[in-house]
Amino acid sequence: MKNIFIEENGVYSIDCSGAEWATDRMHEDYHNAGIHINDVDFLIENAENIFMVEYKNACIASAQNPAAFQPMTDKKILTATRKFYDSLHYLRLLDKNKPVEYIYILEYPNGDATTRKRLRNRLKTELPFVLQENIGTGKKMIEQVKVLSIAEWNADRVYGNYPIKPISG
């Protein structure tokens, strides 16, 4: 089906059929170009914004050692922020210039709203919020960053237009 993407574990799908534009091909396109940089899992464009969506789920049955997944480590924070910066190139090459929101959808054992908020705050310090305030013409590289569970994503009035659902079967 058009614009219904399957996440890398093959357990969940995200339905972007209502988007103006969406893709899950960034990783493949970077790989085919012979460059080895990080990328987010999905890009979704609506009338106002582009959502860079990174998806991690350590709560699925096939997860290898889910208790070992620690998203607050410096290494994981660095990887998540690099995915934002490296994905900007893709948007610029496609002349996608709408405001960008970075959404990290995160499911992991013992994850809750408090830990997601702490992670969001850590990511915010590594993303260009202060830089874009201090220099430039007022054009923003990023509007906001959020860390959400699947349920929070689906319940949101905007993001919920692109529901994440388990693949039955």
Side-chain angles (χ1 to χ4, degrees):
M1 288 192 213
K2 188 173 189 223
N3 285 348
I4 297 178
F5 306 123
I6 309 300
E7 52 82 26
E8 66 187 356
N9 299 305
V11 178
Y12 283 86
S13 67
I14 182 168
D15 183 348
C16 299
S17 57
E20 285 190 12
W21 172 83
T23 188
D24 66 346
R25 292 186 42 89
M26 189 177 355
H27 182 78
E28 182 180 341
D29 289 342
Y30 280 173
H31 179 77
N32 289 341
I35 55 177
H36 305 286
I37 58 180
N38 294 301
D39 56 83
V40 295
D41 295 309
F42 310 105
L43 295 169
I44 305 167
E45 180 179 10
N46 70 6
E48 296 84 31
N49 298 296
I50 294 174
F51 308 121
M52 284 187 183
V53 180
E54 177 63 12
Y55 172 90
K56 292 286 181 228
N57 193 337
C59 291
I60 59 173
S62 62
Q64 298 290 322
N65 196 7
F69 181 70
Q70 300 296 321
M72 292 292 289
T73 64
D74 290 344
K75 182 177 180 180
K76 294 289 187 191
I77 299 284
L78 177 61
T79 299
T81 56
R82 286 216 37 215
K83 287 178 181 237
F84 167 81
Y85 288 110
D86 289 354
S87 297
L88 285 175
H89 307 297
Y90 197 84
L91 293 175
R92 296 310 166 239
L93 288 170
L94 293 173
D95 200 28
K96 299 287 185 184
N97 295 307
K98 290 181 181 174
V100 174
E101 296 182 16
Y102 183 30
I103 316 300
Y104 190 175
I105 300 170
L106 180 62
E107 297 282 346
Y108 71 104
N110 302 317
D112 59 17
T114 301
T115 58
R116 287 189 296 278
K117 185 175 180 179
R118 283 189 16 233
L119 178 57
R120 184 216 51 210
N121 292 343
R122 286 273 318 271
L123 289 170
K124 198 169 183 178
T125 65
E126 297 294 330
L127 293 166
F129 291 101
V130 173
L131 180 66
Q132 67 193 16
E133 288 177 20
N134 292 343
I135 66 170
T137 62
K139 181 175 169 84
K140 294 182 177 181
M141 295 172 68
I142 186 170
E143 292 291 322
Q144 65 178 337
V145 60
K146 291 185 178 180
V147 180
L148 304 173
S149 67
I150 292 172
E152 290 166 334
W153 169 273
N154 286 338
D156 187 272
R157 68 175 183 77
V158 175
Y159 311 133
N161 291 315
Y162 318 104
I164 298 173
K165 302 177 192 172
I167 298 170
S168 58

